[in-house]
Amino acid sequence: MKILVTGGTVFASRFTAEYFSKNNDVCVLNRNTRQQPEGAKLINADRNLLGDTLKQYEFDAVLDITAYNETDVADLLNALGSFKNYVMVSSSAVYPETLPQPFKENMQVGENYVWGDYGTNKIAAEKYLQNHVPNAYIIRPPYLYGKMNNLYREAFAFECAERDTPFYLPFNADMPLQFFDIEDMCRFIEILIERQPEQRVFNVGNPETVSVREWARLCYNVLGKEPEFVTVKAKVNQREYFPFYDYGYELDVSAMTALMPDVKLLEKGLMQSYEWFSANRSEVRRKNYFDFIVNNFGARYAD
């Protein structure tokens, strides 16, 4: 297939581009400000200033990994020439926190107090796409993780394990987290294009959630270690020392699992994530969690 991937230089879009480049003719659309993915051809342009850049191309699939608002979708659709399939990566942030869980695809979307504009902008992007390309597919993942993850999530836990330091848990250590490996996301996109199911919006993710405590333990276990836990009872914003918001949720992914019953075990995905992180540390966008812990909790961390 001839495939267009928006972005292509960071985490989800980069992995997607390299994944599909193995067996397809892939073009990536970005401004060429970072290293390009292996195996893909660059279309050097801003997705919001495309003009006629894309009119010459015919794509079997457009994989829109970097659409964050209505304008992003509108500008791309107006610039595209011929295409057969369109898959947009949205977010679980479109579900209001007030809805009963697990969230189902047929629930009413709306503002979520945790995600704010990010969620409402994704809703607007979804609606524009559905109005203009009714046969497009939309997927709503929870927390993505795995190879090429430049966000300081599992990488932070890995570094805690490397330094043999305690792991500081938020007070709600049993809060559920739901993950989805980036490779599984690409596998599911492949299935959508190949099988063309009638359903157009899919929650995606591992069927099982894990607690904050269990997630940290699994990250330490990748390095063959067991964490020493310290529960933070002080009233501080947990995002100052911990990579997730104080918000637990679960998606119903039964429609996804009906099409793709086998997903990567979290243990395996974290191991692959650590292998990538070990060789690409400079690509991770670190936050000052260690400094905050030292300055506020009296902990001492090795350099």
Side-chain angles (χ1 to χ4, degrees):
M1 293 186 296
K2 190 168 185 62
I3 297 174
L4 175 67
V5 175
T6 60
T9 60
V10 176
F11 187 28
S13 64
R14 178 180 164 193
F15 188 95
T16 301
E18 293 195 3
Y19 177 91
F20 282 94
S21 290
K22 295 173 184 176
N23 298 300
N24 302 279
D25 183 7
V26 172
C27 293
V28 291
L29 174 64
N30 63 66
R31 293 170 294 177
N32 198 23
T33 58
R34 295 185 174 94
Q35 181 179 349
Q36 295 300 316
E38 294 182 7
K41 301 173 184 176
L42 172 64
I43 299 175
N44 187 358
D46 186 319
R47 69 174 294 158
N48 300 118
L49 299 168
L50 287 167
D52 294 329
T53 304
L54 300 179
K55 294 298 184 183
Q56 61 182 298
Y57 296 95
E58 295 182 3
F59 294 108
D60 295 295
V62 174
L63 309 185
D64 196 352
I65 316 299
T66 61
Y68 291 104
N69 54 49
E70 178 180 334
T71 300
D72 286 346
V73 176
D75 287 349
L76 183 60
L77 286 179
N78 289 334
L80 283 168
S82 173
F83 66 92
K84 295 178 182 177
N85 298 280
Y86 195 115
V87 182
M88 173 190 160
V89 177
S90 183
S91 170
S92 55
V94 301
Y95 296 110
E97 76 283 354
T98 52
L99 292 176
Q101 297 189 32
F103 298 139
K104 302 178 187 296
E105 293 95 339
N106 60 0
M107 288 180 169
Q108 182 66 46
V109 297
E111 183 177 3
N112 182 299
Y113 84 97
V114 174
W115 302 112
D117 289 344
Y118 173 74
T120 53
N121 283 336
K122 282 285 192 180
I123 292 170
E126 285 189 8
K127 289 182 177 178
Y128 189 92
L129 179 60
Q130 289 170 321
N131 288 336
H132 291 81
V133 188
N135 66 340
Y137 289 107
I138 294 169
I139 61 174
R140 297 170 176 167
Y143 292 112
L144 290 171
Y145 80 104
K147 294 179 180 179
M148 303 187 186
N149 187 4
N150 68 320
L151 300 176
Y152 202 39
R153 291 174 179 165
E154 61 260 32
F156 169 62
F158 293 150
E159 289 195 326
C160 289
E162 288 177 337
R163 300 181 188 197
D164 291 315
T165 63
F167 193 86
Y168 282 73
L169 290 171
F171 186 74
N172 185 13
D174 294 325
M175 180 180 72
L177 299 173
Q178 191 171 21
F179 294 95
F180 198 41
D181 184 87
I182 186 63
E183 185 174 14
D184 280 343
M185 187 188 83
C186 291
R187 289 176 54 229
F188 188 65
I189 291 174
E190 217 166 23
I191 288 171
L192 292 178
I193 296 171
E194 291 175 355
R195 301 189 190 179
Q196 296 288 310
E198 291 186 10
Q199 182 171 326
R200 296 292 158 176
V201 179
F202 287 86
N203 291 336
V204 295
N206 288 6
E208 298 84 18
T209 61
V210 294
S211 69
V212 167
R213 185 189 305 273
E214 182 59 21
W215 172 80
R217 179 176 288 113
L218 289 173
C219 289
Y220 273 67
N221 289 171
V222 167
L223 284 81
K225 299 180 179 181
E226 284 292 331
E228 173 192 347
F229 288 120
V230 177
T231 301
V232 176
K233 297 182 180 180
K235 292 184 178 180
V236 295
N237 179 0
Q238 70 183 48
R239 289 306 305 272
E240 299 287 350
Y241 64 91
F242 182 73
F244 299 102
Y245 288 105
D246 183 13
Y247 172 58
Y249 67 92
E250 181 180 3
L251 300 173
D252 180 336
V253 296
S254 56
M256 180 206 77
T257 55
L259 293 170
M260 189 178 78
D262 57 318
V263 297
K264 189 179 297 183
L265 293 176
L266 185 55
E267 294 91 330
K268 180 178 179 180
L270 288 172
M271 187 172 297
Q272 293 175 342
S273 183
Y274 181 66
E275 290 172 356
W276 178 85
F277 167 67
S278 297
N280 300 275
R281 294 173 186 269
S282 63
E283 294 189 31
V284 174
R285 291 161 40 193
R286 284 177 171 76
K287 296 191 175 183
N288 295 323
Y289 298 145
F290 287 115
D291 290 343
F292 184 88
I293 291 170
V294 169
N295 294 332
N296 292 272
F297 305 147
R300 290 296 177 265
Y301 283 90
D303 292 333

